[in-house]
Amino acid sequence: MKVLKFGGTSVGTVNSLTNVKRIVEEIPGRKVVVVSALGGITDLLIATARLAVADDIAYLDSYARIVERHIAVIDGVVPESRRDATLAMVKMMLDELGNIFKGVMLLHDLSPRALDIIVSYGERLSSVIVSNAIKGATHFDSRTFIRTKEGPHGANVLDSELTNRLIEEKVCAYEWDTAVMGGFLATDAKGEVTNLGRGGSDYTAAIMAAALDADILEIWTDVDGFMTADPRVIDTAYVIDELTYTEAMELCNFGAKVIYPPTIYPVYHKNIPILVKNTFNPSAPGTRISNEPPHRKPSDKAIKGISSINDTCLVTITSLCMVGVIGVNSRIFNALTAKGVSVFLVSQAASENNTTIAVRNADADLAVRTLREEFATELATGMFNDVVAERDLATVAVVGENMKHTTGLAGKLFNTVGRNGINVIACAQGASETNISFVIERKSLRKALNVIHDSFFLSECQVLNLFLIGVGNVGRSLMQQISKQQEKLLREKNLRINVVGIASSKRGVFNRDGLDVADWRRLLDEEGIDVTPDIIRREVLNMNIFNSVFVDCTASADVAALYKDLLSHNVNVVAANKIAASGDYDVYKELKETARRKDVKYLFETNVGAGLPIINTINSLINSGDKILKIEAVVSGTLNYIFNVLAADVPLSRAVVMAKEAGYTEPDPRIDLSGKDVIRKLVILAREAGYEVSQEDVEKNLFIPEEMLAGEADEFISKVASLDEEFEKMRGDAEAAHRHFRFVASFDNGHLSVGLRSVDSDHPFYNLAGSNNVILLTTDRYMEYPMVIKGYGAGAEVTAAGVFADIISIANIR
Ligand SMILES: Nc1ncnc2c1ncn2[C@@H]1O[C@H](COP(=O)(O)OP(=O)(O)O)[C@@H](O)[C@H]1O
Ligand SMILES: N[C@@H](CC(=O)OP(=O)(O)O)C(=O)O
């Protein structure tokens, strides 16, 4: 025999009730059907009662909605032959309910008992409707056999013995094929209406299954089964095929709403399996919960599921005198038990000098008061420190019986959350090793659940969440490359690039579910908000999303000023922007140290030589014990391009315009022409080589007079024309002598300089076409023949590719 429970989500509408009817009618033989109130009705009953007691006439509208919903489903699912009789019964109950609400309003009294009576109408009404909708069904009033008694601290608890006896008498003794009854409902020893607690219909069904020795208990809901995490929080959560009772219990106790926690015990005790099924997709296999250990496959994950509660307060009692003293914990728990405070996590270090317990926020004050009273003498003498409460926290539990076979799991877990800037405030793992629970700040809960789910369940697929700032040449190219490459990276490298923010200097669009980069222009125009760097910072930090990467493709000092805060919040930074790495030395150093301390990356490979592997190479040399002695470099693609295109018919001013049009220059070409861009790059190279240098340390032999650089960027090009003649002469002389002009950056024996040099055909810089860059590194190991790195050193495509490579290196994929 089967016991089937249909939750509020399954009996909420005509459509879902039609499915319920079909599912039940197709099952041959005897079955018990336990139903919840129509979805949302229990909450509506409570809300209506609260309006009535507050003398708020709006209760009548609320009551009218309750009436409407019930009448509508009768019209939709009860066969015509029984419709009038059902309507009459339901209307009678609804009238009673209306009178009760009126009484509550007139008396201004809503006792717990009255509220219990009011909520009972939910299941009383739904069970009458369902029993009339299903062919050949018999209705049973569960108030006549589900009995509660007073438990500790006045709570209603199931009177199992009496209930089992009454089920025998009131249900088993009768002939029926399909028994339909309301879940949740009960009566107490005095015959008053009570219930089994919110979500209690599952429990009713489990009690019935155990009492009737059913073959199976089926919990029908609106998802395909028990999932790896709450699907409303984690959109990649998926259905678990099999769970043991222990695993299900651990997950349900900790907020996995799909099954009410007390449900497991009665069926576990009788070894009756539970099957969680979807009313809206009955052919899906669902989740089977049983005693049999799941059939272990090599591909099985160590963790079966994650659940959480966001209502946590930690209460800590500390004393150096607690060490080795017997009975402190017993006093803590006895005192709390006497006051009815439920403790759901305990953590005590082996040093024994403090004990931390987790309670619900609502119990926090009582817990603190109770412990202060219990340890009043010790507190007065200063033996114990004051009892402290830390509120607004959340607890996460990761669960799985396979955890006990897996070493390094706790390490991976805490490393994963730590790298994402989530601080673990307390943790507990029982020796059964089926559950690791830990407490974090409530604001980080969503991030923690996502990052754990991502790294433990989708371990073959890693996610990077990107904020792309700057939609100039490089930013636009990067978005094109990402859009083209996204699918391939997912397919071949299991790397999911999820763009969660795009911003220009004026507009920004942010969405944690991901944005279509190919559509960036429309998104910014139609869905964007006005932004400033500070607004961008707030959007990134407030999203608080895991594995996040801030990609700066701007040339803005204000955006660069955000890095410190972002890195401190465990956001990786990839910068094409050179300002931070070449600016104030202390800032540069601090950014690198912050990244190291927070275990995130601050990468800026494209700051020198666009996509060429220069900074990574210098780092590899240094890390393997080499020493950089000398750097000679042509690192301005723009200047090299300009000197290469200069010709009798291409004067300097024209060459500058051509460089800008080809997308080689900085947004403001004066940054290139003034040598500032090369100075910055040289400083970055020397710093990465391990030297404490700044832009002021660079000897500057520039070729554009200082006064020409003042004023607006647009005027600059026309001013440059005044240099055309002089440059043409220089060019002619150089050509006659078979020499080429190069703007060279040099670091030699601690001395930094930049300047224009003419080189002859023997020099490695002589053949350097277009906008190419070249770097010569003389090191301890590359002394006689310096290492040469050469290639395209400017241009949106190669720079964006370098930025993309930095982003991908964060994921650490091969
Ligand atoms: N781990 C989980 N697996 C499946 N569902 C979950 C989980 N955690 C939370 N849920 C939520 O529980 C809901 C089902 O519970 P509930 O709304 O009480 O349904 P019912 O009315 O059928 O009893 C699902 O719609 C889902 O959003
Ligand atoms: N109707 C009750 C009992 C119940 O179990 O409902 P559901 O199965 O929809 O969670 C409640 O809302 O608490």
Side-chain angles (χ1 to χ4, degrees):
M1 186 180 50
K2 277 186 179 183
V3 173
L4 301 95
K5 178 261 175 174
F6 292 91
T9 52
S10 304
V11 295
T13 62
V14 172
N15 173 35
S16 60
L17 275 166
T18 310
N19 289 354
V20 171
K21 186 170 149 57
R22 193 176 321 123
I23 291 163
V24 176
E25 288 176 357
E26 276 175 8
I27 298 171
R30 268 158 66 102
K31 61 250 165 211
V32 173
V33 175
V34 176
V35 293
S36 298
L38 268 55
I41 287 291
T42 310
D43 286 336
L44 197 54
L45 287 165
I46 297 169
T48 311
R50 297 211 194 288
L51 287 173
V53 77
D55 224 351
D56 188 336
I57 205 71
Y59 93 85
L60 284 173
D61 293 337
S62 196
Y63 167 66
R65 264 196 287 147
I66 297 172
V67 173
E68 249 169 62
R69 291 231 7 228
H70 288 91
I71 304 295
V73 292
I74 296 174
D75 287 344
V77 292
V78 178
E80 220 178 319
S81 58
R82 286 193 298 274
R83 199 170 298 158
D84 286 346
T86 313
L87 263 177
M89 246 184 301
V90 165
K91 277 189 173 154
M92 204 175 71
M93 281 196 268
L94 287 167
D95 284 347
E96 266 172 37
L97 178 65
N99 289 335
I100 296 172
F101 283 136
K102 194 168 183 181
V104 167
M105 192 183 73
L106 293 174
L107 296 170
H108 295 293
D109 186 21
L110 180 61
S111 63
R113 194 184 142 226
L115 195 59
D116 280 350
I117 292 172
I118 289 169
V119 292
S120 75
Y121 277 87
E123 272 73 7
R124 287 170 61 192
L125 287 159
S126 66
S127 58
V128 165
I129 296 171
V130 174
S131 66
N132 280 286
I134 293 171
K135 204 160 60 194
T138 311
H139 181 259
F140 286 88
D141 185 343
S142 35
R143 289 173 302 169
T144 60
F145 47 88
I146 304 287
R147 283 300 174 89
T148 58
K149 59 183 180 188
E150 197 172 314
H153 311 287
N156 288 318
V157 294
L158 181 76
D159 186 338
S160 311
E161 217 171 295
L162 183 55
T163 299
N164 285 337
R165 189 151 46 80
L166 289 173
I167 292 174
E168 197 60 43
E169 269 173 35
K170 310 269 179 190
V171 184
C172 300
Y174 294 87
E175 280 292 313
W176 42 268
D177 173 69
T178 305
V180 176
M181 58 193 65
F184 178 64
L185 305 170
T187 41
D188 64 13
K190 290 185 248 138
E192 309 281 5
V193 176
T194 55
N195 60 58
L196 301 176
R198 294 303 307 270
S201 295
D202 296 338
Y203 192 19
T204 308
I207 295 163
M208 294 305 298
L212 300 172
D213 277 320
D215 300 313
I216 193 157
L217 165 62
E218 294 185 353
I219 303 283
W220 289 81
T221 182
D222 64 344
V223 283
D224 277 351
F226 212 118
M227 303 180 83
T228 48
D230 186 340
R232 290 163 301 187
V233 182
I234 312 280
D235 54 10
T236 48
Y238 57 85
V239 174
I240 308 165
D241 307 341
E242 291 185 314
L243 283 170
T244 63
Y245 291 116
T246 311
E247 288 169 334
M249 182 94 80
E250 297 272 16
L251 289 166
C252 295
N253 273 345
F254 240 77
K257 192 175 174 275
V258 67
I259 298 180
Y260 183 51
T263 306
I264 315 272
Y265 181 72
V267 283
Y268 158 75
H269 193 59
K270 289 271 184 102
N271 204 3
I272 299 168
I274 305 175
L275 190 59
V276 181
K277 296 272 291 176
N278 189 350
T279 306
F280 303 88
N281 184 18
S283 59
T287 302
R288 188 184 162 87
I289 302 167
S290 67
N291 225 348
E292 291 153 35
H295 310 106
R296 289 190 65 200
K297 294 181 276 298
S299 59
D300 278 355
K301 310 269 186 256
I303 293 180
K304 269 298 182 65
I306 317 169
S307 55
S308 64
I309 44 176
N310 65 7
D311 173 14
T312 302
C313 170
L314 284 181
V315 178
T316 300
I317 183 155
T318 324
S319 162
L320 289 181
C321 307
M322 273 162 76
V323 179
V325 177
I326 293 171
V328 174
N329 283 339
S330 124
R331 283 173 64 193
I332 293 175
F333 291 111
N334 283 335
L336 293 171
T337 308
K339 293 286 170 61
V341 175
S342 162
V343 174
F344 59 82
L345 177 143
V346 185
S347 168
Q348 185 190 47
S351 64
E352 291 183 58
N353 62 26
N354 64 58
T355 296
T356 295
I357 54 162
V359 299
R360 303 263 176 186
N361 281 303
D363 287 337
D365 285 338
L366 180 58
V368 171
R369 237 180 303 127
T370 305
L371 295 178
R372 280 186 185 146
E373 276 163 26
E374 175 64 32
F375 294 99
T377 318
E378 289 85 349
L379 288 166
T381 57
M383 275 172 71
F384 277 37
N385 299 333
D386 193 17
V387 181
V388 288
E390 225 180 316
R391 283 159 223 269
D392 297 328
L393 307 172
T395 311
V396 177
V398 297
V399 169
E401 299 230 39
N402 286 352
M403 279 165 47
K404 52 180 155 243
H405 307 289
T406 315
T407 48
L409 197 114
K412 180 175 171 192
L413 179 66
F414 292 128
N415 183 28
T416 305
V417 292
R419 282 191 62 176
N420 278 278
I422 302 162
N423 181 34
V424 172
I425 305 168
C427 66
Q429 177 190 318
S432 69
E433 290 186 65
T434 51
N435 177 327
I436 301 178
S437 312
F438 59 94
V439 179
I440 56 175
E441 276 188 308
R442 180 149 68 188
K443 68 176 185 347
S444 299
L445 178 60
R446 192 188 179 98
K447 186 177 184 181
L449 293 175
N450 272 286
V451 75
I452 298 168
H453 196 269
D454 182 55
S455 50
F456 285 91
F457 294 104
L458 305 172
S459 52
E460 310 83 50
C461 164
Q462 208 181 334
V463 180
L464 287 182
N465 290 303
L466 306 189
F467 294 90
L468 302 179
I469 314 302
V471 295
N473 289 343
V474 176
R476 285 202 305 264
S477 254
L478 177 63
M479 286 195 275
Q480 262 174 16
Q481 291 176 14
I482 290 176
S483 159
K484 246 172 95 184
Q485 195 63 4
Q486 248 165 343
E487 205 196 302
K488 191 164 179 222
L489 282 172
L490 184 61
R491 205 179 48 241
E492 292 177 12
K493 301 285 179 181
N494 292 313
L495 174 63
R496 188 150 67 92
I497 300 277
N498 190 32
V499 177
V500 292
I502 300 173
S504 68
S505 56
K506 298 192 182 66
R507 309 268 294 167
V509 55
F510 303 90
N511 186 341
R512 64 182 312 127
D513 297 328
L515 299 164
D516 177 6
V517 266
D519 199 22
W520 68 271
R521 212 180 284 268
R522 190 195 63 78
L523 286 169
L524 282 184
D525 284 350
E526 292 175 16
E527 293 171 30
I529 51 166
D530 290 340
V531 294
T532 58
D534 194 51
I535 293 176
I536 294 175
R537 183 187 66 87
R538 266 185 285 149
E539 288 287 339
V540 175
L541 298 186
N542 288 345
M543 194 181 292
N544 199 16
I545 197 162
F546 69 104
N547 293 355
S548 51
V549 188
F550 182 85
V551 185
D552 180 6
C553 293
T554 74
S556 153
D558 294 335
V559 176
L562 305 178
Y563 301 169
K564 163 92 197 302
D565 204 17
L566 295 170
L567 291 167
S568 322
H569 286 88
N570 294 72
V571 177
N572 298 279
V573 172
V574 170
N577 182 347
K578 307 176 190 78
I579 293 178
S582 61
D584 187 271
Y585 182 81
D586 291 338
V587 172
Y588 158 84
K589 204 73 200 148
E590 197 182 9
L591 292 178
K592 297 205 97 177
E593 260 156 30
T594 309
R596 200 168 304 135
R597 188 161 36 82
K598 292 288 177 177
D599 203 7
V600 287
K601 297 275 169 50
Y602 167 40
L603 302 176
F604 43 87
E605 176 61 77
T606 54
N607 279 193
V608 185
L612 296 179
I614 298 170
I615 292 177
N616 277 330
T617 306
I618 292 180
N619 282 319
S620 302
L621 291 172
I622 305 273
N623 292 341
S624 62
D626 205 348
K627 185 169 171 23
I628 312 281
L629 305 171
K630 184 172 166 184
I631 302 171
E632 276 186 297
V634 175
V635 280
S636 170
T638 310
L639 293 183
N640 202 48
Y641 172 84
I642 289 172
F643 292 120
N644 279 336
V645 296
L646 280 183
D649 57 345
V650 183
L652 179 68
S653 55
R654 172 80 196 120
V656 173
V657 173
M658 284 165 70
K660 187 164 169 56
E661 283 170 0
Y664 294 142
T665 65
E666 291 288 310
D668 180 351
R670 288 176 299 180
I671 303 283
D672 299 293
L673 276 280
S674 67
K676 189 167 178 62
D677 184 57
V678 175
I679 293 167
R680 282 178 184 166
K681 287 170 176 165
L682 178 61
V683 165
I684 295 171
L685 289 177
R687 283 178 177 178
E688 289 296 294
Y691 298 93
E692 185 178 335
V693 295
S694 288
Q695 292 184 34
E696 301 74 57
D697 303 326
V698 181
E699 181 194 322
K700 303 167 187 84
N701 303 306
L702 307 176
F703 61 94
I704 302 275
E706 193 74 31
E707 58 277 13
M708 214 176 259
L709 300 168
E712 293 301 311
D714 297 344
E715 300 163 16
F716 171 68
I717 305 232
S718 53
K719 289 190 206 159
V720 169
S722 65
L723 299 175
D724 285 353
E725 208 175 307
E726 180 190 337
F727 265 76
E728 173 50 20
K729 179 168 174 348
M730 276 168 56
R731 188 199 63 80
D733 292 350
E735 193 177 59
H738 302 290
R739 296 176 78 85
H740 284 161
F741 276 116
R742 301 290 176 226
F743 193 76
V744 177
S746 139
F747 168 80
D748 191 359
N749 203 14
H751 180 70
L752 299 147
S753 66
V754 298
L756 205 53
R757 268 201 240 161
S758 76
V759 294
D760 65 22
S761 58
D762 293 336
H763 197 282
F765 293 172
Y766 183 82
N767 286 318
L768 198 60
S771 64
N772 280 5
N773 280 194
V774 59
I775 316 272
L776 300 185
L777 295 173
T778 307
T779 74
D780 273 346
R781 292 187 193 134
Y782 292 81
M783 187 87 84
E784 199 176 342
Y785 302 103
M787 182 187 277
V788 186
I789 305 167
K790 187 172 170 181
Y792 291 128
E797 284 270 305
V798 284
T799 310
V803 172
F804 202 178
D806 270 353
I807 295 170
I808 289 174
S809 75
I810 291 173
N812 208 10
I813 55 167
R814 284 168 294 274

